[in-house]
Amino acid sequence: MSKKLRELQARKSSTVTAMRAITDKASAESREPTAEENEKFKSLRAEAANIEAAIEREQDLIALEKSSGVVIPDNAHIATEDNRNADATGGFKSFGEFASAVIQSHVGGGRGMDDRLRAAAPTTFGNEAAGADGGFVVPPQYSSEVFALSLGEDAFIPMTDNTEISGNSMVFPKTEQTPWGSNGVRAYWQAEAATATATKPVLGVQAMRMHKLMTLVPLSDELVADTNALDSLVPRLIGDSIRWKTNEAILNGNGNGQPMGALLSTGPSVMVPKDSGQAANTLSATNLFNMVSRMPPGSYQRAVWLIHPTVIPVLATLVLGNIPVFLPAAPPASGAMTMTPYFGTILGRPCLISHHAATLSSLGDVQLHDMSYYRTITKPGGVQMAQSLHLYFDADALALRAVFRIDGGPKIASAISPAKGSTTLSPFLQLQNR
């Protein structure tokens, strides 16, 4: 029932009640209604008739609206909302346009503030009078683009067992038992009617806590004015730096304010010995097969080779009979814009050319890793970015800050003892210096 219909019915009820009061009063006094009362009664009767007609019209309208599929609730209303809050770009066409808007927001004491800055991050705008507290968080779209660049090409994070967490720490259960070991869950051949041998898993924990990797970039007024350079150059440089630092920490980090590296001498990594009497600056097929033989079962199908550029000339000459050990990557298909980040394959597994490896003949010039044995934690959304004019105010420069939080470490604490023999196995291998 509509609100208007209820109001009309209430008016009709009130009018009828007033008419009843006139007749009841005359009856109670055992008399006929006076002339004045009769006039009042007639007036109320006419009013009631008009209300009745209005009720009928309202009921007809309600019926027609229902039949046409249009039903308007009693409490219906129209509301508008600034949907720029839901826009990952904050309403800006590019990162350069956003940076220019930040600059303009400080022109004339802040009177040039772009409304999109307030809409994009209304709760992150600090006090303009509080120095470095003032600033603007970069819209998520542009932060995500930088994060995507940091994960491109030869990044190790996508190869690891990565978990995104909202807090600053996480504890993971872990076990280092092997199917052939003497502890943990074990299967036994059972004689008929014999009592079963009970076993239980040997579990430990791996506690991880985020470390902060930060990039602080002063941008001159001239660079900010060149939005094309700002869009293409600065995000790529930040992404490259984050990728390099995280890759280096995953391999060689000391665990002090940064991830624990997979190749620490106190960790699970294994140095594969060189050939007996092997000369310096050489590489043999035996070196490579010896490395493959030191991987845990199932790891080689996930493994990636890592070599320094100085290894390429000697690697290219290695053959098994007439079959080359190294096969270069196939050229891109016709019309393709990019090639695979892998240089090629060694013994069937992808090969990355990397300056994280050592130079030819040094320890670690050739590496072989199964990065699924390495665990990382990162923040959802990856890189957090912000801009402010206050830090470099005297230099007329805009400060761009990028923060990436990460921790990582090998899932196992030491090399794996084999089922037979004494030569240990590891998912993280380096070739000995020669």
Side-chain angles (χ1 to χ4, degrees):
M1 183 182 294
S2 72
K3 180 179 179 182
K4 185 175 181 180
L5 182 58
R6 288 198 301 269
E7 291 175 349
L8 289 171
Q9 290 176 336
R11 284 176 56 195
K12 178 182 176 182
S13 177
S14 177
T15 302
V16 173
T17 300
M19 293 168 62
R20 173 59 67 184
I22 293 173
T23 59
D24 286 349
K25 181 179 180 183
S27 177
E29 295 175 359
S30 300
R31 62 176 176 79
E32 293 295 324
T34 64
E36 183 180 353
E37 287 174 337
N38 282 331
E39 288 298 323
K40 180 64 174 176
F41 188 89
K42 291 178 181 179
S43 175
L44 291 171
R45 180 68 184 87
E47 182 179 348
N50 290 335
I51 296 173
E52 181 65 28
I55 290 173
E56 291 178 358
R57 288 194 299 270
E58 184 65 19
Q59 289 174 332
D60 289 341
L61 284 173
I62 292 173
L64 290 172
E65 287 173 344
K66 287 183 178 180
S67 64
S68 65
V70 178
V71 179
I72 302 176
D74 296 344
N75 60 347
H77 63 281
I78 297 175
T80 60
E81 180 182 357
D82 188 346
N83 61 6
R84 286 178 295 183
N85 292 333
D87 185 359
T89 66
F92 294 95
K93 296 179 180 178
S94 67
F95 173 70
E97 186 183 35
F98 168 77
S100 298
V102 173
I103 290 284
Q104 292 301 316
S105 70
H106 293 74
V107 175
R111 289 189 295 273
M113 173 77 72
D114 191 315
D115 286 340
R116 292 175 295 179
L117 290 176
R118 296 188 179 93
T123 62
T124 57
F125 175 65
N127 184 350
E128 287 299 311
D133 289 341
F136 300 89
V137 166
V138 175
Q141 175 67 30
Y142 308 125
S143 298
S144 297
E145 289 173 1
V146 171
F147 187 44
L149 289 169
S150 71
L151 297 180
E153 299 177 354
D154 60 344
F156 295 160
I157 292 178
M159 303 180 193
T160 67
D161 184 0
N162 179 251
T163 302
E164 292 186 344
I165 65 171
S166 56
N168 288 321
S169 62
M170 179 68 77
V171 176
F172 295 91
K174 71 172 184 177
T175 179
E176 298 191 30
Q177 75 169 56
T178 57
W180 53 80
S182 59
N183 63 349
V185 176
R186 293 288 169 260
Y188 294 92
W189 294 110
Q190 202 70 29
E192 185 177 354
T195 303
T197 302
T199 61
K200 62 180 180 179
V202 177
L203 299 177
V205 295
Q206 182 179 20
M208 308 185 75
R209 185 173 182 83
M210 293 284 195
H211 303 296
K212 180 165 62 176
L213 181 63
M214 180 183 293
T215 301
L216 186 62
V217 185
L219 304 174
S220 68
D221 185 51
E222 292 77 12
L223 179 59
V224 172
D226 187 353
T227 57
N228 290 332
L230 205 57
D231 289 339
S232 60
L233 178 63
V234 176
R236 179 175 59 80
L237 293 176
I238 294 175
D240 289 347
S241 180
I242 291 174
R243 184 170 66 251
W244 171 265
K245 283 290 187 178
T246 53
N247 280 358
E248 184 67 16
I250 287 172
L251 291 180
N252 302 307
N254 59 20
N256 183 17
Q258 58 185 271
M260 181 74 71
L263 301 182
L264 283 183
S265 59
T266 56
S269 68
V270 161
M271 180 189 70
V272 178
K274 63 182 179 180
D275 297 339
S276 177
Q278 185 172 356
N281 298 320
T282 62
L283 180 68
S284 70
T286 308
N287 293 149
L288 303 178
F289 277 103
N290 284 340
M291 295 183 73
V292 174
S293 71
R294 300 293 294 272
M295 297 218 85
S299 276
Y300 192 62
Q301 287 73 20
R302 300 184 296 267
V304 173
W305 294 92
L306 207 67
I307 66 171
H308 192 270
T310 54
V311 177
I312 296 175
V314 292
L315 176 65
T317 63
L318 296 185
V319 293
L320 290 173
N322 294 325
I323 302 174
V325 169
F326 167 76
L327 293 176
S334 177
M337 298 299 294
T338 59
M339 294 181 64
T340 172
Y342 299 113
F343 178 62
T345 60
I346 298 176
L347 301 178
R349 293 306 304 160
C351 170
L352 282 173
I353 306 300
S354 175
H355 284 273
H356 295 289
T359 56
L360 176 64
S361 218
S362 302
L363 171 64
D365 61 339
V366 179
Q367 302 177 19
L368 181 61
H369 304 310
D370 174 9
M371 298 305 294
S372 69
Y373 272 82
Y374 192 94
R375 176 177 280 120
T376 55
I377 56 173
T378 56
K379 285 283 189 181
V383 178
Q384 297 174 330
M385 297 177 63
Q387 286 190 0
S388 176
L389 270 173
H390 299 294
L391 189 58
Y392 295 102
F393 179 79
D394 56 342
D396 192 25
L398 178 71
L400 176 61
R401 183 190 68 199
V403 175
F404 180 53
R405 296 182 184 273
I406 183 175
D407 192 19
K411 293 181 180 179
I412 56 177
S414 58
I416 301 169
S417 298
K420 298 177 181 179
S422 59
T423 304
T424 55
L425 310 175
S426 174
F428 309 111
L429 303 171
Q430 302 182 85
L431 183 60
Q432 185 184 16
N433 57 299
R434 302 171 298 288

